[in-house]
């Protein structure tokens, strides 16, 4: 992930958030019954809403599997091998999986890029998109050691975590079809832009939004940097403008599961893949640990964004579970 455009956070915004949050229909009691497990079996009494459980351990495994390929930088073997791995896994679970191939010129080099699209119930008219970027940054330009700044980042959190949560959700959707059609879209080339060159970030989502190879969704949810041990997800400003009701519903569920992670505070706008979708009129939001960006957090352990320290040690199965369970509960409660 990307750049903060500017910061704006006021008491007035927070007041509105808290008032609206009391008006939406959600059931935190049900969500708190969930326990981390590899099992995706049903957990409900007869007549109650069937609610699968998201496994943080499985999601963690999916992060590890991506890291096996090394950095997933466009133009490299690791990128191609990881793409093939993601497609083969998604084909186990989705109704249709295909690659949107395209080329893009960046800083004098033409890259072969791939957005990966996995569709569940492709003929269902009402659709939800769940998205993340699967590429990793080619250069660790925020690394404290200047000698590292031309090396690619490992991308455990920035790239790996969002994809991992979506893979685990795909596994669950295969066993428990939701009442809506789901499209999982993994965007390529999110993180190739040089610092402050926003137009060269989020290339895969820009191409996808420009071509719209599948029908528009009711809502789209992007996941980026969702695995840190002490992640703090704020109400990102672009998301709040695009789909405030969806943000309130997600944060209501998330904060009932883990108030330390889903925080009802306004966050500054972040330029990420959801912005490309918003630009073509899609109500898209972003769940992102945005205090990682620019090393803003007070905890020095969390100063690994766009450095060689974006490694598995910073990833928590418990955090992955909270994010996955939040999205899962929202998906299974909408009609
Ligand atoms: Zn990044």
């Amino acid at each position: 992930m990307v750049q903060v455009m500017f910061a704006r956070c006021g008491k007035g915004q927070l007041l509105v958030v808290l008032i609206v949050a009391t008006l939406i229909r959600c059931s935190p009691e049900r969500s708190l019954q969930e326990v981390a497990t590899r099992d995706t079996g049903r957990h409900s009494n007869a007549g109650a809403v069937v609610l699968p459980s998201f496994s943080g351990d499985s999601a963690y495994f999916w992060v590890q599997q991506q890291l096996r390929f090394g950095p997933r930088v466009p133009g490299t073997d690791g990128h191609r091998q990881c793409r093939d791995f993601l497609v083969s896994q998604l084909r186990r679970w989705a109704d249709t999986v295909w690659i949107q191939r395209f080329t893009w010129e960046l800083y004098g080099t033409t890259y072969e890029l791939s957005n990966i699209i996995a569709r569940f119930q492709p003929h269902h008219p009402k659709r939800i998109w769940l998205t993340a970027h699967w590429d990793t940054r080619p250069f660790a330009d925020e690394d404290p050691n200047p000698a590292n700044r031309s090396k690619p980042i490992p991308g455990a959190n920035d790239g790996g975590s969002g994809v991992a949560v979506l893979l685990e959700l795909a596994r669950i959707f295969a066993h428990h079809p939701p009442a809506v059609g789901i499209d999982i879209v993994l965007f390529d080339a999110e993180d190739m832009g040089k610092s402050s060159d926003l137009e060269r970030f989020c290339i895969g989502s820009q191409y996808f939004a420009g071509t719209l190879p599948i029908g528009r969704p009711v809502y789209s949810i992007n996941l980026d940097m969702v695995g840190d041990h002490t992640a703090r997800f704020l109400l990102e400003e672009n998301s709040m403008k695009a789909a405030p009701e969806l943000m309130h519903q997600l944060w209501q569920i998330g904060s009932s599961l883990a108030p330390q992670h889903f925080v009802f505070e306004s966050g500054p706008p972040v330029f990420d893949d959801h912005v490309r979708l918003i630009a073509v009129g899609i109500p898209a939001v972003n769940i992102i640990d945005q205090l990682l960006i620019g090393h803003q957090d007070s905890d020095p352990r969390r100063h690994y964004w766009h450095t060689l320290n974006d490694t598995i040690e910073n990833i928590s199965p418990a955090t992955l579970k909270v994010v996955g369970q939040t999205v899962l509960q929202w998906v299974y409660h909408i009609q």
Side-chain angles (χ1 to χ4, degrees):
M1 180 356 331
V2 201
Q3 301 287 323
V4 178
M5 295 159 77
F6 60 91
R8 182 151 59 82
C9 174
K11 279 185 179 172
Q13 288 172 294
L14 180 60
L15 182 62
V16 171
V17 165
L18 293 172
I19 291 170
V20 175
T22 62
L23 301 178
I24 64 171
R25 292 180 299 125
C26 285
S27 178
E29 294 81 9
R30 184 183 297 123
S31 62
L32 291 170
Q33 303 302 316
E34 296 297 322
V35 179
T37 172
R38 280 187 176 275
D39 174 32
T40 58
R42 295 170 184 241
H43 296 266
S44 74
N45 298 322
V49 174
V50 173
L51 191 64
S53 180
F54 184 95
S55 169
D57 289 336
S58 286
Y60 185 86
F61 172 78
W62 297 124
V63 177
Q64 292 176 308
Q65 292 303 298
Q66 293 171 80
L67 294 178
R68 280 193 308 138
F69 301 106
R72 283 81 72 203
V73 174
T76 66
D77 285 343
H79 183 260
R80 283 184 285 275
Q81 290 164 4
C82 187
R83 178 196 62 201
D84 294 344
F85 167 77
L86 295 172
V87 168
S88 69
Q89 292 303 314
L90 288 167
R91 283 199 169 130
R92 295 168 60 191
W93 306 309
D95 294 312
T96 58
V97 180
W98 49 284
I99 299 174
Q100 183 187 39
R101 297 178 189 272
F102 62 104
T103 57
W104 202 271
E105 189 269 329
L106 279 165
Y107 307 117
T109 300
T110 299
Y111 293 93
E112 306 222 341
L113 301 173
S114 301
N115 291 327
I116 300 167
I117 300 151
R119 310 198 79 195
F120 295 82
Q121 304 182 67
H123 300 298
H124 198 298
K126 184 175 182 178
R127 311 209 60 81
I128 302 298
W129 291 1
L130 303 176
T131 69
H133 75 91
W134 70 275
D135 66 302
T136 55
R137 189 161 182 75
F139 32 82
D141 48 340
E142 298 289 335
D143 201 283
N145 181 353
N148 290 337
R149 291 178 190 161
S150 59
K151 299 176 183 173
I153 70 166
N157 202 15
D158 193 354
S161 64
V163 170
V165 170
L166 295 188
L167 285 178
E168 184 58 13
L169 284 172
R171 197 168 75 93
I172 292 170
F173 295 151
H175 294 98
H176 306 281
V180 294
I182 303 286
D183 298 306
I184 289 177
V185 185
L186 305 181
F187 296 126
D188 205 349
E190 186 270 356
D191 221 346
M192 297 186 77
K194 294 179 180 174
S195 180
S196 302
D197 188 5
L198 286 184
E199 271 310 300
R200 290 180 176 80
F201 281 91
C202 305
I203 298 302
S205 53
Q206 182 182 7
Y207 186 80
F208 192 84
T211 53
L212 284 181
I214 56 176
R216 287 173 177 266
V218 180
Y219 287 115
S220 184
I221 301 170
N222 190 64
L223 307 179
D224 197 357
M225 301 197 294
V226 292
D228 189 84
H229 292 275
T230 54
R232 280 171 60 85
F233 306 116
L234 307 181
L235 296 160
E236 188 268 335
E237 188 172 316
N238 292 320
S239 306
M240 289 297 288
K241 286 179 178 170
E245 66 289 347
L246 170 59
M247 291 292 282
H248 295 148
Q249 290 166 12
L250 288 170
W251 260 248
Q252 181 78 1
I253 298 169
S255 65
S256 75
L257 291 165
Q260 73 276 28
H261 293 314
F262 279 84
V263 182
F264 268 106
E265 288 178 19
S266 300
V270 177
F271 189 90
D272 204 348
D273 287 317
H274 67 313
V275 173
R276 300 298 195 186
L277 306 182
I278 294 170
V280 296
I282 292 168
V285 303
N286 200 14
I287 300 176
I288 182 167
D289 190 359
Q290 61 187 97
L291 292 178
L292 294 177
I293 303 167
H295 306 173
Q296 301 171 68
D297 201 277
S298 56
D299 179 357
R301 180 195 61 79
R302 280 168 47 81
H303 294 179
Y304 57 82
W305 173 76
H306 290 184
T307 76
L308 296 193
N309 294 322
D310 183 358
T311 54
I312 193 72
E313 288 75 20
N314 293 305
I315 302 297
S316 158
T319 306
L320 295 170
K321 176 179 174 59
V322 166
V323 174
Q325 190 70 30
T326 296
V327 175
L328 182 154
Q329 288 187 204
W330 182 83
V331 164
Y332 282 92
H333 279 88
I334 59 170
Q335 297 298 318

